Every structure is written in C-alpha cells, then in structure tokens.
Amino acid sequence: MSHRIIKGFTYIVFLIAALIVLSSCEQIALITTPPKKPVASHTKLAETAEKTFWETLHRGDYNNLPKTTYLLTAAYLQNPNDPTIAAHLGFVHIWKITERAREKDIPPTIVNEIVLAKKYFSDATELSPNDARLQGFLGVSMLASGKIFADDREQVRGYFQLKHAISMWPEFNYFTAGYPMSDLESSSKHFKEGLEWQWKTLNLCAGTIIDRNNPDFSPYMSLETQKGPKRACWNSWIAPHNFEGFFLNMGDMLVKQGDWQTGVKIYNNAKLSKNYSTWPYRKMLEARIQNAKVNVANFQQNNKLNPDTTILFSSGNGCAACHQN
C-alpha cells in the first residue's frame, strides 16, 4: 500500500471520527439543554386574546381572524410557554387557510398560514404532549404542508403523526385525520381510508358495528355524554354543532365516492341533534339531501367557487360548520 493511499485512508478515518464526535457533542448538548416547560398565562393581554378567540370562533367570524391572530401572537410573545395560546394560534392559522374560499381574491401568501399552523401546533404538542387533540392537529398541518409544497416525506411524516394521534384518542382523531382526506380524489387510497375512518368513528361512538346499509344513528342518541373519550362524538361548548358537522362531512364523502343513497341516510342523522334547529348550516345540509345525486359529479370535480357544489372541507365553512353557534 503506497504512502499516498495510507495518508488518504487515515484522513477518511479521521473525518469519520470527527463527525462522530461532533454528532455526539450535539446530542449531549441537546440532552443537557432543558426543554420548554408549560407555563399558563394570567395577564390581561392573554385573557383578552383568549376571549376574542372564542368569540370569533363561535361567531364563525372569519373576517375577525386578523385581530384575533394579532392578540394571540402578542400574548404568545409575552409568554411562549403557554400551550393553550400556542394551540389557539395554530388553530386560527389553519382556519384561515381552510376557509380561504371566503376570500375575494386568494393571495399566494395564504400558504404561509399552514407554515405558521405547523409551527404553533408543534410548540403546543411540545408543551402539552399528552393532549391527543393537538397531536392530531399537528398531523393535519404536516400533511397539508407536505401536499402544498410537494414534499412527499413531509406528507409521510404527517400521515404517521396522524396514526399516532389516532392511537391516543380514536374517537376524536379518526375524524380529524380523515377530514382533510375528503379533499383528495375519490378514487385515491387515502380518500378511501379517510372515509373508512369515519365509519370507525361511528362504530366507536355507537359501541357496536353500524349497519352500513342502514346507518340510522337514532338508537344510539341516549349514549350522549360530556365525559370520557366518547365526548368527542357529541356537541360541546367548544364545538356546539360537532355532531351535525360530522354527518355533513361524512355524507359529502359518501356522495363524492358515488354512494349518494347512503350519503343521504348519513346526512339525515344530523337532524337527530337536539341543537339542529339552531345550526347555521342546516340549509346547506338540506340542499345536499335534495341534490345528492347530481352532487356526485359536482363533488368529484370539486368546484370550489360554490359552497353548495363542493365538499364541506373546501366550501369556506370547513371549521365553522362545527364550531359556529
């Protein structure tokens, strides 16, 4: 072996050793650096920001998002360790892009909303790792980010993040994970999986296997609860029309798949809610029942210019349908 070869080999070995040492130093530095710790905010600014957030959400007031975002951001900069403020910041940013159909002219900068949503949901999950809802919202933001920026690896990371969230709270996260998949092609693998996850939600909420030929939910209405994991199946103060919104979305997915007859049966379950008469989107649902057959083509084409001819997720009402009073 020549001197030059030996010298080159020695250099490579030295370089590998140096990289290992540097990597070890990085790991040691990270391990010894304390993580962020959750600290609740009790300032006047934080109280105002939270109050504005809930008022904006429950009014479905998309136009008030700039003010709400401003206040929440100011409160978070005041205390970047508050998981609730971080979570609500993530939510207003994902709301902004989800309901972008409300914009007169949709600017290309709207994509920045998903970047910010992912950042704040990431912060929130770091501060509150056991909150399965936040794990699901983080997965959705990762999945959407990957799709928007054509990043296949980010989409894969988002998908498995959603699977992790489902394992933590399936009653909540089967819907959370499947909802954005309603925007995919109806023939795609993940659209079909998202629809299957809606059926699994129904089974969990009913405590039995729902008859897919006759998915009448009326026998299970007495199971309504505000406690435990099954509270995700029903309306609550946070989502006063969660029940109705779930069946509106699931009906849309069935219609988009081509099974409009079952879609109508699922739509009709929304009327079982004791809050149905006050739901702001009941006329949308009733129009869908009337137009289910023709909406097969409409939903597959996904004409986002008209909320009556596109799926709920893309209609401009994707968050408000469950959360607006």
Side-chain angles (χ1 to χ4, degrees):
M1 185 180 292
S2 71
H3 176 71
R4 182 178 295 179
I5 293 173
I6 293 172
K7 186 176 180 181
F9 179 75
T10 302
Y11 173 77
I12 292 170
V13 171
F14 174 79
L15 181 61
I16 293 171
L19 289 172
I20 291 171
V21 170
L22 286 173
S23 177
S24 298
C25 289
E26 178 185 358
Q27 292 302 316
I28 292 169
L30 286 171
I31 291 169
T32 57
T33 301
K36 292 179 72 172
K37 299 291 186 182
V39 179
S41 299
H42 300 290
T43 64
K44 183 66 176 177
L45 173 59
E47 290 175 2
T48 301
E50 284 292 293
K51 183 173 183 288
T52 303
F53 168 77
W54 288 114
E55 288 175 348
T56 301
L57 181 62
H58 286 154
R59 290 198 306 263
D61 190 356
Y62 184 85
N63 292 328
N64 202 45
L65 278 176
K67 177 184 176 182
T68 308
T69 305
Y70 178 94
L71 289 170
L72 285 169
T73 304
Y76 192 59
L77 290 173
Q78 189 180 69
N79 176 16
N81 291 327
D82 189 318
T84 300
I85 293 177
H88 291 166
L89 262 174
F91 194 86
V92 293
H93 284 296
I94 210 166
W95 180 6
K96 182 73 172 178
I97 192 170
T98 298
E99 295 194 354
R100 64 192 178 277
R102 296 191 187 215
E103 302 277 355
K104 184 177 181 181
D105 296 300
I106 302 175
T109 52
I110 196 74
V111 298
N112 294 335
E113 302 295 336
I114 201 63
V115 176
L116 290 166
K118 186 172 75 168
K119 185 274 186 295
Y120 288 116
F121 282 133
S122 179
D123 283 3
T125 55
E126 181 182 354
L127 291 164
S128 186
N130 294 323
D131 191 327
R133 300 169 302 174
L134 302 182
Q135 297 287 348
F137 292 142
L138 174 60
V140 168
S141 63
M142 292 169 67
L143 196 68
S145 175
K147 182 180 178 184
I148 290 169
F149 300 115
D151 185 339
D152 291 342
R153 286 191 170 189
E154 182 69 355
Q155 290 188 68
V156 170
R157 284 190 289 265
Y159 176 78
F160 282 100
Q161 172 65 28
L162 286 169
K163 296 278 280 187
H164 167 65
I166 289 170
S167 71
M168 292 179 71
W169 190 357
E171 291 89 345
F172 187 91
N173 282 314
Y174 270 133
F175 170 75
T176 299
Y179 188 34
M181 293 180 183
S182 66
D183 198 38
L184 302 174
E185 294 289 332
S186 58
S187 59
S188 73
K189 170 186 173 183
H190 288 304
F191 177 91
K192 293 175 182 178
E193 184 173 37
L195 178 55
E196 185 63 26
W197 287 346
Q198 307 315 295
W199 285 114
K200 287 186 176 183
T201 302
L202 278 190
N203 293 341
L204 285 168
C205 291
T208 188
I209 304 298
I210 294 289
D211 181 356
R212 297 192 183 191
N213 294 315
N214 182 34
D216 177 14
F217 205 72
S218 58
Y220 313 106
M221 296 302 292
S222 62
L223 299 175
E224 182 173 357
T225 181
Q226 296 299 310
K227 297 179 181 180
K230 292 194 187 317
R231 70 185 188 276
C233 305
W234 308 95
N235 292 338
S236 65
W237 181 84
I238 292 174
H241 295 287
N242 175 67
F243 185 88
E244 298 95 313
F246 172 84
F247 285 110
L248 174 53
N249 167 70
M250 186 175 177
D252 278 1
M253 293 184 79
L254 284 160
V255 169
K256 184 173 177 177
Q257 189 187 50
D259 188 0
W260 63 271
Q261 298 96 331
T262 306
V264 168
K265 295 174 184 178
I266 287 292
Y267 284 144
N268 277 312
N269 281 328
K271 297 179 180 181
L272 298 171
S273 169
K274 58 189 176 187
N275 301 324
Y276 180 76
S277 64
T278 64
W279 185 34
Y281 297 93
R282 62 188 182 278
K283 292 188 183 300
M284 175 186 281
L285 179 127
E286 288 162 10
R288 277 159 151 71
I289 291 172
Q290 292 297 318
N291 300 316
K293 188 174 182 179
V294 298
N295 274 341
V296 173
N298 288 332
F299 290 176
Q300 289 177 357
Q301 293 164 9
N302 214 6
N303 175 12
K304 298 181 181 181
L305 297 177
N306 185 346
D308 291 324
T309 57
T310 191
I311 56 167
L312 176 62
F313 185 80
S314 304
S315 69
N317 306 293
C319 298
C322 289
H323 291 280
Q324 184 176 342
N325 273 317

